[in-house]
Structure formats: structure tokens, C-alpha cells
Amino acid sequence: MSDTSNEFLGQNRVFSGVQPTGNLHLGNYLGAIKNFVKLQDNHDCIYCVVDMHAITVWQDPKELRENIREVTAAYLAAGINPENHIVFNQSQVKEHAELAWIFNCVARMGWLNRMTQFKEKAGKNRENASCGLFAYPNLMAADILAYRATHVPVGNDQKQHLELTRDIAQKFNNDYAANILEAGHGNSTYFPITEPLISEGNDARIMSLRDGSKKMSKSDPSDLSRIVMTDDSDTISKKIRKAKTDPDSLPSEVAGLEDRPEARNLVGIYAAVKECSPQDVLNEFGGKEFSAFKPALADIVVEGIAPINNELRKLMDAPDHIDAILKQGSEKARKIASKTLSEVKEIMGFIG
Ligand code: TRP
């Protein structure tokens, strides 16, 4: 992109991560993973299973292990290629934790105090939130900057964290400008000012099938509220059939979806899977009843998602294979991250 500080890398390096916290769903796929797959065509991509972010809130060890494999299987089933790119889990590359500590000393309390995700996740009981939950954005900055990634595909909810990553990079570059030059890193910018990549698909906020005003969520008590990435064709169809709607037929213009959250969500899902605009969907279905639209939606989702889900379930039956891919990916990742860490430590005045 236009930012000159990224040019010294001479490449477009993409980094992104998904937390292994279970119930991976259609929103995760359409909002993130689907876009990760596309970026492989013209970027070097590093896709991480951010298991150390997951433990900022309690994780049952058995479930954590299963969930790490599930995110990995989702990456692979969706079409991420671990040979040409890198797929790994964060805890296998200790440099993430090491750089996060350094960034704990770069980032300011005031910056972290402004993070809306911490406020949401900690809720009223802040005294009882883990220190890791508060420092979460610093670990995320470390994930990205350990690879000096230039581009990060993220959803809207992560934009503020990415801003913080940019602030950390900037402050590090400023505080150590002279040392960066002295250590021979060309101009005085060591870390790139990473750009967010918000894909068109990311705008499609995938909402609960039971309540169009709430995001589709792994923690909703109702299984009918989400399509998960282990659902088979029948289950997908059933959940769409039971999805909440309103009594009217579909409008012919998107403006007519304004106050109809359920209708808007179902049209949005159709558009996201088919990669067209909501207006395109309404051009076809405007004036039709849900009884006509829902079967068409079920067909589209089954066609687009069921093969990925089937592959995911197959991969989950071969945990050794998944673990081997993570190990191999971690070795590739560590080569890059350890070089960054030794340069950073030299710049900062550490010995050895
Ligand atoms: N915080 C991100 C989320 O919850 C996950 C994440 C961790 C991430 N490290 C990252 C995303 C680095 C992009 C880049 O969705």
C-alpha cells in the first residue's frame, strides 16, 4: 500500500489469527476464514491458531486441545495451503510471548484502558479479570509484528486492536530510532505500520438465526442460533428452516430491510455465500415469501458450506496429521520470529 514504511520489506505479508474457543460457526467462516483463503493468491500468508489468547479466559484443557485442532482443520478444509503458506498454533512459537512482554513495556496503560473489547469481556467484575485479558492487545501486536506483517485481515470488532498495534510499532520506531539506524536497519523504521484489510465480505455481519439483532455467537445457549462448521447438510437445512423471520414478503430494495433484522440477516447470508450484493438477492427474491426464499437459501448454504464441513470432520478424525501440520508450521514461523526477536533485542540493548 502507500505507506512507505512497509516498502522496505519488499513484500505483502499477511498475518491473521482465530481463537480456538469452540463452536466455530458460519460467521467465522464468512467473516474471516473465507477471505484468508483468497489472500493466498497474492500474498505470503501466516495463519495462526491463537491459543494463548484463548486462555485469557478459562479454557478446559481437553476442550482447548480439541478446539486448536478444530480451527486448524477449518483452515485446511476451507482451502488454506500449509505448504506454500504457514499454519501454526501460537503457543508453539515462544517468541510471541517474549515480544508481548516487550510490548507490555512499550504500550501505555491509558491505551489499553480505552479498549472496548476488554470492557465488554471483563464486564462489571473487572477486579476478577485476568491480567492477560487486559494485556491481550499487546500479545496481538506481538503476533503481527514478530513477522513484521504488512497486512492483517480483520473484522470490524478488531480494528481498535489493530490501531493499537500501529501505535506500538510507531512508538517502538520512535523510541529506538537512533538504535535502529545504528543496528543497520536502513531507514529508522523497524516495524511496519500494519494496514487492516477489510474485505467486502466482512461487512456481512452474520447474526443469530434466532435473533437478528445479536451477532451469531459461539456462546449463544441455543444451537439453532448458529450454523457450526461441523454441521452436516441436513442440520444446516433444518437450522435455516427454523430460522426466525417476520410475516412479510421480501422487499425489492435493500432500504426495505432496515427495520427487519431477521430478513436482513438471511439476505446477507445468501449474498455472502454467493458473493453477490444484497440488492442482487432482492432482485431475484423481492416480493417472494420466506417459504420460497428459505429453501433457496438452504440450497446455497449447503452447496457452499457442507463440503467444507465434511472435510473438516474428516480431518478431525486424523489428529496426528493435524498436529504434524502445526509442528511443521511452527518451525517455519519460528525461523522468521526468532530473527525479529534477536534484532529487537539488539536494538534495545540486551546482550546475547
Ligand atoms: N483478537 C483476534 C480475534 O479475537 C484474534 C487475533 C489474535 C488476531 N492475534 C491476531 C487477529 C493477530 C489478527 C491478527 O478475532
Side-chain angles (χ1 to χ4, degrees), residues 15-19 50 53 90 117 121 136 139-140 143-144 152-154 157-158 161-162:
F15 184 99
S16 201
V18 171
Q19 289 198 56
V50 288
H53 276 108
Q90 189 183 29
Q117 185 173 294
K121 285 203 182 175
Y136 179 116
L139 178 59
M140 180 162 160
D143 296 339
I144 296 165
V152 174
V154 278
D157 64 326
Q158 295 298 312
H161 287 161
L162 201 65

Side-chain angles (χ1 to χ4, degrees), residues 182-203:
E182 199 181 309
H185 297 292
N187 59 31
S188 59
T189 47
Y190 181 72
F191 286 122
I193 308 303
T194 307
E195 301 278 347
L197 286 176
I198 311 279
S199 81
E200 311 93 71
N202 284 4
D203 270 353

Side-chain angles (χ1 to χ4, degrees), residues 5 166-178 180 188-193:
S5 59
R166 294 158 64 94
D167 290 342
I168 288 175
Q170 202 107 55
K171 182 162 164 57
F172 184 93
N173 289 343
N174 288 340
D175 289 352
Y176 295 103
I180 290 168
S188 59
T189 47
Y190 181 72
F191 286 122
I193 308 303

Side-chain angles (χ1 to χ4, degrees), residues 244-283:
K244 187 174 170 204
T245 53
D246 57 38
D248 296 333
S249 55
L250 284 169
S252 51
E253 301 290 332
V254 276
L257 294 170
E258 277 289 294
D259 302 318
R260 300 177 60 187
E262 282 81 21
R264 185 173 52 190
N265 185 36
L266 296 182
V267 169
I269 291 174
Y270 191 105
V273 176
K274 207 161 173 220
E275 299 185 32
C276 63
S277 72
Q279 186 58 56
D280 291 336
V281 181
L282 295 180
N283 291 345

